[in-house]
Amino acid sequence: TCVDIDAEKIERLQSGEIPIVEAGLDDVVADAVAAGRLRFVTDPRQAAAQAEIVFLCVPTPQDEDGSADLSYIEAAAGEIASSLQVGAIVVNKSTVPVGSVRVVEQVLQRPDVEVVSNPEFLREGTAVFDFLHPDRVVIGGDDLDAANTVAGLYTPLDTEMLVTDAASAETIKYAANGFLAMKISFVNAVAAMCEAVGADVADVVEGIGSDHRIGRAFLNPGPGWGGSCFPKDSRALVSIAADHGYDFSMMRGVIEVNDEQRIRMVGKVAQAVGREIVGEQPLAGVSIGALGLTFKAGTDDLRESPSLAILEQLADAGAAITAYDPTAVGELDRIQQHRLARLQLAESALDVAHGADVVLILTEWHEFKDLDMADVASAMRGKAIVDTRNLLDPLAVKSAGLTYDGVGRR
Ligand code: UGA
């Protein structure tokens, strides 16, 4: 039984509509509904009263000071506290600070109910695949029986199972996201160095990634990491460490490199049109065609999208921007909340090139790779391509008479 207090969302799910873009999720949901194994309701108490195991999967957004806001998880736990069966297990699936199992226990005030941590490692866009093929399942709690019961749910997945204490399970989640963010910041810094010394980041990544101690995954340079997880979790990691008297300076550096990366991308656009980001409105009169608004391909999620952060800086510098994204087209309201009120949305990828001085690739949507560069060149006013995802073939771009600048590419 799946509960949400958002009645509209539940209604859409009940009528078979999936409210997010997530590959393969519609089939999984349709099959489970048809088999009578899945239903969507709005009453948490009723659902909790019938459950042996309750997963709390509510958001833990970032508070003003960088810490995680626990109000939703506390509210959800409070709501179900008196309805839970004797001997029920409550599972923290949300990404929550170290110590949150204790917080939920305190809210519940139910000594007969066990609380267990079971962090999630799936990625947006490939969530169904990641869920079915995990590298490991982590479960943390004081009560071994409860932890083993939750572990039993995953038996069909035939994966490595780590059962540990609650604080370790909660730390694993943040440390995993922090490490992945560190890998990306590292490669973005290496890409900047490649540009300085005349090396090619693709070859450098191949050369270091084949060392199995380093690994090839999560070493793609780009406009900086974003999304609903890395930004908030990396700040929370710094904040949790600070709360316990440790200055996690390395993580602060990872975040700083990520902020710099966005600024570097803005600099690349300015450089492509022979301007510099100094003084008032340095990009006045410059027309930019932007490709991609979501924080990565395969999702409709705009949260903490590097694309929006970069476009915001370009708009502040006076540029006129037309953008296209295959999933965020109907999202103008949300985009305008990002202070991009003057952003124009185009109907197709090629449309953004019309009259543009620069075409700027921000999200690695596959359809941008297939753009005919001769068509792009003839639609543009200028001739600069800035590719923050290293998505295009520089030779194809140049042979259409355009200039090309990627990230750390020769
Ligand atoms: C991330 C983690 O990968 C998941 O394991 C975790 O469960 C999830 O956060 C979460 O905590 O819920 P997600 O936010 O969906 O998943 O996105 P990622 O695929 O990890 O990408 C994050 C950001 O890094 C994106 O902006 C992406 O474009 C960027 N990235 C990723 C790179 O710039 N280079 C890479 O090589 C990989």
Side-chain angles (χ1 to χ4, degrees):
T1 305
C2 207
V3 190
D4 201 293
I5 54 170
D6 182 341
E8 193 201 318
K9 197 177 274 178
I10 290 299
E11 230 168 80
R12 288 168 73 184
L13 285 160
Q14 281 167 341
S15 64
E17 196 190 326
I18 305 293
I20 52 169
V21 172
E22 197 55 72
L25 188 58
D26 43 1
D27 287 342
V28 173
V29 170
D31 288 353
V33 169
R37 291 194 313 270
L38 179 62
R39 63 195 186 109
F40 299 97
V41 302
T42 51
D43 183 353
R45 292 173 191 209
Q46 206 188 352
Q50 292 161 3
E52 290 160 61
I53 305 179
V54 176
F55 283 80
L56 297 176
C57 319
V58 296
T60 47
Q62 186 183 295
D63 234 338
E64 278 155 23
D65 62 356
S67 65
D69 171 0
L70 289 183
S71 57
Y72 296 101
I73 201 156
E74 287 173 357
E79 183 81 30
I80 60 170
S82 59
S83 315
L84 288 165
Q85 295 177 7
V86 173
I89 301 170
V90 172
V91 185
N92 275 359
K93 182 56 105 173
S94 306
T95 298
V96 282
V98 182
S100 296
V101 160
R102 296 279 170 273
V103 171
V104 171
E105 279 169 357
Q106 269 158 21
V107 173
L108 291 176
Q109 291 292 319
R110 288 281 306 263
D112 58 323
V113 167
E114 291 299 333
V115 184
V116 164
S117 164
N118 173 216
E120 188 51 67
F121 302 104
L122 49 81
R123 294 160 298 173
E124 285 183 30
T126 51
V128 173
F129 179 88
D130 290 352
F131 183 84
L132 294 173
H133 303 92
D135 287 337
R136 77 308 204 182
V137 168
V138 174
I139 294 156
D142 296 337
D143 185 281
L144 203 57
D145 285 345
N148 285 333
T149 302
V150 176
L153 296 174
Y154 294 95
T155 311
L157 298 182
D158 189 24
T159 185
E160 192 182 314
M161 204 77 74
L162 176 67
V163 176
T164 180
D165 61 280
S168 300
E170 290 164 340
T171 304
I172 286 168
K173 171 65 195 184
Y174 282 105
N177 274 1
F179 190 88
L180 292 169
M182 180 183 75
K183 274 190 102 172
I184 304 166
S185 277
F186 183 82
V187 82
N188 284 336
V190 168
M193 189 183 147
C194 285
E195 287 174 11
V197 302
D200 190 292
V201 75
D203 289 347
V204 173
V205 162
E206 240 16 83
I208 63 171
S210 48
D211 183 330
H212 74 274
R213 294 170 303 173
I214 296 172
R216 174 65 188 82
F218 271 66
L219 282 180
N220 297 321
W225 38 265
S228 66
C229 305
F230 285 0
K232 89 174 161 60
D233 291 351
S234 55
R235 287 181 214 125
L237 198 49
V238 172
S239 157
I240 295 165
D243 284 349
H244 293 79
Y246 176 62
D247 174 15
F248 205 149
S249 57
M250 176 186 271
M251 209 58 222
R252 286 195 284 109
V254 167
I255 296 168
E256 201 176 306
V257 168
N258 199 48
D259 294 340
E260 285 166 12
Q261 189 68 0
R262 294 163 184 205
I263 296 167
R264 289 187 67 244
M265 299 303 111
V266 172
K268 279 177 181 290
V269 173
Q271 195 183 21
V273 291
R275 308 260 182 117
E276 246 185 288
I277 301 291
V278 281
E280 284 280 299
Q281 304 268 298
L283 295 180
V286 174
S287 167
I288 296 171
L291 291 174
L293 295 169
T294 52
F295 81 96
K296 63 174 183 178
T299 177
D300 58 347
D301 200 340
L302 295 169
R303 286 176 289 176
E304 298 254 10
S305 171
S307 311
L308 294 179
I310 290 165
L311 291 179
E312 229 174 82
Q313 291 183 36
L314 291 167
D316 286 349
I321 302 166
T322 304
Y324 169 76
D325 186 285
T327 58
V329 176
E331 300 284 317
L332 196 55
D333 279 355
R334 275 211 280 161
I335 294 165
Q336 282 173 336
Q337 287 169 10
H338 284 264
R339 296 192 282 122
L340 277 167
R342 285 174 295 129
L343 184 84
Q344 299 287 319
L345 284 185
E347 293 289 316
S348 75
L350 188 57
D351 272 356
V352 308
H354 287 289
D357 298 303
V358 188
V359 168
L360 171 64
I361 311 253
L362 290 165
T363 310
E364 73 282 23
W365 287 105
H366 198 270
E367 65 172 275
F368 303 156
K369 215 178 160 80
D370 298 336
L371 274 172
D372 183 326
M373 282 300 135
D375 292 347
V376 172
S378 55
M380 287 176 73
R381 177 171 76 182
K383 54 178 188 158
I385 304 288
V386 176
D387 178 5
T388 71
R389 295 283 183 172
N390 291 352
L391 188 71
L392 305 179
D393 173 5
L395 286 179
V397 173
K398 286 174 192 162
S399 58
L402 298 165
T403 65
Y404 179 87
D405 190 17
V407 183
R409 279 178 134 177
R410 250 156 63 111

